Amino acid sequence: MSQIKIYALNQTITQFRPRLSEAIHQALVTSLAYPIEKKFQRFIPMEPENFVYPDDRSDHYVIIEISMFEGRSIEAKQKLIQTIFSNIQNLCDISPQDIEITIFETPKNHWGIRGKNADELELNYDVNV
């Protein structure tokens, strides 16, 4: 399970939403063997007065937060991050300089999904990649 939050200026989200969505989801699918039908994303548009960032970032600055079950290897998470950078650069022409990614991992028993604790669910994919 992964929940994705994408923060950016409203104009950036409006311009790039479908391509950002595809870039991030394809990175999950290819890097973590994540099921293609499992797509959980929230785009959070920011107004300039509420989105403060350093001068060395452009107006296309994007913050991506990924919440997911713990269990993936360091190598798999590194691959995921690098693939997101690459996919966004290729699909949106946004520089990696303008992308920040944070992965938050929690045990399955910290998640409630479809009326159950996640550690009680049978998943159709492997978390330990």
Side-chain angles (χ1 to χ4, degrees), residues 10 17 24 46 95 103 126:
N10 187 31
R17 183 183 289 115
I24 295 164
M46 306 294 295
S95 167
I103 297 173
D126 188 12

Side-chain angles (χ1 to χ4, degrees), residues 8 15 17-18 23 26 40 46 51 62 64 68 70 72-73 82 84 92 96 101 115 120 126:
Q15 181 177 355
R17 183 183 289 115
Q26 284 305 316
F40 302 96
M46 306 294 295
F51 197 49
V62 177
I64 300 165
M68 64 183 179
E70 64 185 3
R72 276 78 176 202
S73 67
Q82 290 305 313
I84 290 172
C92 304
I101 303 162
E120 299 170 354
D126 188 12

Side-chain angles (χ1 to χ4, degrees), residues 38-50:
K38 302 280 186 188
K39 191 181 217 183
F40 302 96
Q41 300 175 343
R42 288 167 283 177
F43 286 85
I44 302 159
M46 306 294 295
E47 294 304 321
E49 64 270 15
N50 294 321

